[in-house]
Structure formats: structure tokens, C-alpha cells
Amino acid sequence: MATAPPAARRAADSARRRTSASIVLRSVLEHGPVARSTIARLTGLSPASVTEHCAQLGALGLIREAAVPRQSKGAGRPHIPVDLDTSRFVVGGVHVAVHYTTVALLDLRGRVIAERRLLHDAGTEPGRALANAADGLGALLAQADNRTPLGIGVAAGGWVDRDAGTLVEHGLLGWRDVAVREVIGAHTGLPVHVDGHARALVEGERLFGRARGSRSVLHLFVGNVVDAAFATHDQVHHGPRSQAGAIAHLPLEGGTEPCACGRTGCLQVELSERTLCRRARERGVISTANPMHVVRAAAEGSPVAVGLLMERARMVGRAAGLLLDVLNPETVVITEAGVLYRDDCLRAVREAVGEGRSALVVPSSFPDCVLAVAGGSVALDVLYRDPLGVSAI
């Protein structure tokens, strides 16, 4: 039987080591502080392998022994647990929206430790907007208590080509073929990773949120841009050139909004925050283009605002039902303003999805920092998939 050439064997061995290290780090994320023996039992890796990888991850500064050892019931060295070291490193997160860009710093547990919103007051010309984002991150890092940045994740709506690091098309911003990775990288000198915000939030939910442990997850993002992402068996589906998740022009039953494509009732025009705010202005509820002002008006007792949010929630439920019929995931995560802050909107979504499937639907785990988490999760996903490549993240 022919044997693989040495170079191929070395590559295969390296891939196995990186995969095992990823499994160990994910186990520490999920269970830490956790004993090495427990990691071995949970993962099926050998105790020797777990010990080796913990030493590697410790040398990289990603994990450390917990300050207080667990009590040992027998003789010998106590089982000192290991945990993530969240004091040394951060990742930068950038989320590019229609009216503003969010910049943030996150620790290794995906917790936002600093965040800033940058309005597009100077316009949305790509070079200027991205340079402004890089400057905003720099300002946050200057106040980050000497934490070392591992890299930057950038998330945006529209068509984002992850492999190329480009925003291929964002109709509402008017961006075409913007080399996001190149521009942000040139301004910061840090590794940059780019993805669509729905896919980024799937990764965030799987690492740090309610979808942890789910074998399949659907995420529906409803903002000014409406898109979706689907993950199964630890992999997010991207499709050729990362075009998966483009649902803007799926028809929605009962829709009345005319779309630029020539049809009526497409998901994006029907559900977008622009449509919600325009309807709210027409009804005298708000005078702005901020959907949170509609949520606030509803909280202050405006029946018109409540009605608008409930109508939108029912339509979101119909959209989720369409995707459920096709993909049949274990968990459906909804990011939408009404669902994030109102139980009645979440109930309306679940009712529209259908009684037999309503328990599958949950709101985003990050209601107060969803855009920051979207950006940071792009970089953190890279870290948790290949922690031994931390120097190159």
C-alpha cells in the first residue's frame, strides 16, 4: 500500500493538532473553569493530548490556570482547572450600517468591553467611512488598559465575499466591490476578517449565545437590510462567493410595499426599518428614521406604535416560517427591534411561525450590543477555529 509523502503527512498532522486545539479551547469557553481531566472526558481526547494543548494555549496567553484549585479528594496534585484568560487580548469589531458604523472591542468570551457609534455625517464614501472606523477603533484601543488586539472582524449587510474580504454589493449604501479587508488592514496594521452580519451573528450565537449546542441554526436579521444565515454541524453555509442568505427579494404573502425590482411584497422593502419608520412618521408616531423611537413610543403607551410593531412581527414570523419550511433547523434566532424588546412581538412571531414550531424561535442573545457582537464574532470565530494560528489571526 502506498504511503503519503512526508509533506502530506506533516500537513495532516498539523491539521489534526489544530483541530484538537480548537476543540480544547471551545471546551474551556463552554465549561471553564474546567479541569483537564474533565476536558478529556467531554471531548474524547486523550489526557496527554489535552495536557499538551492546554500548555500550548497557555503559552499563547489564551488560557490560564484558575486562581483557586478545586479540592482533591485523594492524594497527589490537585485538579487545577483552566479558564480563558480574558485580561490580555481583545478583538476589534466593526459593523457597517446604513446610517452609522459601530466600532467595539470584545474579550475572548465575546463580551463587549468598549463600544462607539460613528455617524456617517461626512457621507458614506467607502474609503472615508472605513478610515473613520479604523480611527474609532484606534481610539478605543488607546484606552484598553494595554490589552493586545488579535485582529479585527468587520460585518455588514448586503453581499459580502468572506474569502476575498470585499463588500461586493450593498445597495442601500451604494457600495460596489469595496476592498474592506485591504482598507481596514492598511489603516490598522492588524489582520482583518470580513463577513455578512447574519452569518457573523450565527457564529456569535453558537459561541456565546442561546444557540450553543444546537446542531443547526437559522438566523434572520431584520434591519434596514434583511438577510439570513444557516449553520449546520459547526459550519455556516456561505455558498459560491458567499452569496448564501440573500433573501431580500423573497415574496411575502400579504405584502403591499412596491420594490425596486418591480414586484410587490419583497422581504426587504416590507420588513425594513425604513418602511417601519416611514409608516410611523405617516401615522404621527415619530418624526425620525430611528426604529428605536417606535419601540420607545410603544413602551410609552402609543397604541399606533404597538400596532406597527405587532404587524411587522407577524410578517417577520411569516418570513421565518418560509425559511423553516426549507431548512428545518433546531433553533431560529431573530434579530429585530420589536422582538428584542417586547414579549408581545416575540409571541406574534411565534404564532405566525405556527404552534408546533414556536418553541424553536428565540430572540438574539445580544439585544443591547448586537452590532458590536456581529463585528467581533467574525474575528473570534477565526480564533476559535484555529487558536494555534493566533499570531496570524
Side-chain angles (χ1 to χ4, degrees), residues 18-382:
R18 289 175 179 272
T19 299
S20 297
S22 171
I23 292 170
V24 170
L25 188 61
R26 289 279 292 271
S27 186
V28 176
L29 168 67
E30 186 167 352
H31 302 287
V34 58
R36 295 167 180 83
S37 58
T38 303
I39 296 174
R41 175 174 55 81
L42 292 171
T43 63
L45 297 171
S46 70
S49 179
V50 170
T51 298
E52 176 188 356
H53 289 308
C54 284
Q56 291 175 312
L57 297 171
L60 289 169
L62 299 176
I63 68 173
R64 63 184 176 185
E65 292 187 338
V68 180
R70 293 178 178 174
Q71 295 298 317
S72 175
K73 296 182 179 179
R77 188 174 185 266
H79 289 197
I80 302 177
V82 294
D83 202 357
L84 293 178
D85 187 345
T86 58
S87 66
R88 298 181 59 174
F89 298 119
V90 292
V91 299
V94 177
H95 180 278
V96 182
V98 174
H99 299 295
Y100 57 88
T101 294
T102 300
V103 295
L105 301 180
L106 288 76
D107 69 13
L108 299 190
R109 287 197 174 276
R111 296 176 298 206
V112 177
I113 60 175
E115 180 179 359
R116 187 177 176 189
R117 179 177 291 186
L118 309 173
L119 296 175
H120 293 161
D121 292 334
T124 57
E125 189 277 322
R128 178 180 296 176
L130 294 176
N132 193 33
D135 290 342
L137 275 179
L140 294 182
L141 285 168
Q143 304 172 15
D145 298 326
N146 296 318
R147 297 197 193 193
T148 301
L150 292 177
I152 298 170
V154 183
W159 176 7
V160 179
D161 187 335
R162 177 190 61 168
D163 294 333
T166 62
L167 203 164
V168 180
E169 183 177 11
H170 193 306
L172 296 179
L173 283 173
W175 290 14
R176 300 287 188 278
D177 295 318
V178 177
V180 175
R181 180 167 62 204
E182 180 180 330
V183 174
I184 296 285
H187 277 84
T188 63
L190 293 169
V192 178
H193 304 274
V194 186
D195 209 344
H197 56 200
R199 291 192 293 265
L201 286 168
V202 164
E203 300 292 11
E205 292 286 348
R206 289 174 53 257
L207 287 170
F208 316 112
R210 293 188 178 95
R212 179 184 289 174
S214 292
R215 289 173 295 180
S216 56
V217 184
L218 167 68
H219 181 264
L220 178 59
F221 186 98
V222 182
N224 278 315
V225 174
V226 179
D227 54 11
F230 180 65
T232 181
H233 296 294
D234 203 36
Q235 293 293 329
V236 175
H237 181 61
H238 285 77
R241 291 200 70 194
S242 297
Q243 285 186 273
I247 60 171
H249 296 289
L250 286 179
L252 192 58
E253 183 182 355
T256 60
E257 288 289 322
C259 181
C261 73
R263 294 181 292 182
T264 298
C266 292
L267 283 188
Q268 183 151 299
V269 292
E270 201 64 46
L271 300 180
S272 76
E273 291 174 348
R274 286 186 168 191
T275 300
L276 172 68
C277 291
R278 192 204 74 228
R279 291 172 175 173
R281 289 194 300 271
E282 290 172 352
R283 303 286 294 275
V285 175
I286 62 172
S287 58
T288 69
N290 189 335
M292 294 309 301
H293 292 172
V294 184
V295 175
R296 185 173 66 189
E300 292 172 350
S302 166
V304 177
V306 171
L308 288 170
L309 290 173
M310 291 290 284
E311 178 186 5
R312 188 182 192 222
R314 285 188 287 268
M315 299 290 269
V316 169
R318 291 178 199 168
L322 288 173
L323 297 172
L324 266 164
D325 288 341
V326 175
L327 299 171
N328 193 30
E330 284 187 355
T331 305
V332 180
V333 181
I334 306 287
T335 298
E336 186 270 338
V339 171
L340 292 182
Y341 298 105
R342 296 186 61 89
D343 290 340
D344 54 357
C345 287
L346 178 58
R347 286 195 299 271
V349 169
R350 288 172 169 168
E351 288 170 3
V353 164
E355 183 177 349
R357 305 183 296 185
S358 61
L360 303 175
V361 179
V362 297
S364 169
S365 303
F366 320 106
D368 298 321
C369 53
V370 64
L371 302 183
V373 170
S377 291
V378 178
L380 287 168
D381 173 59
V382 176

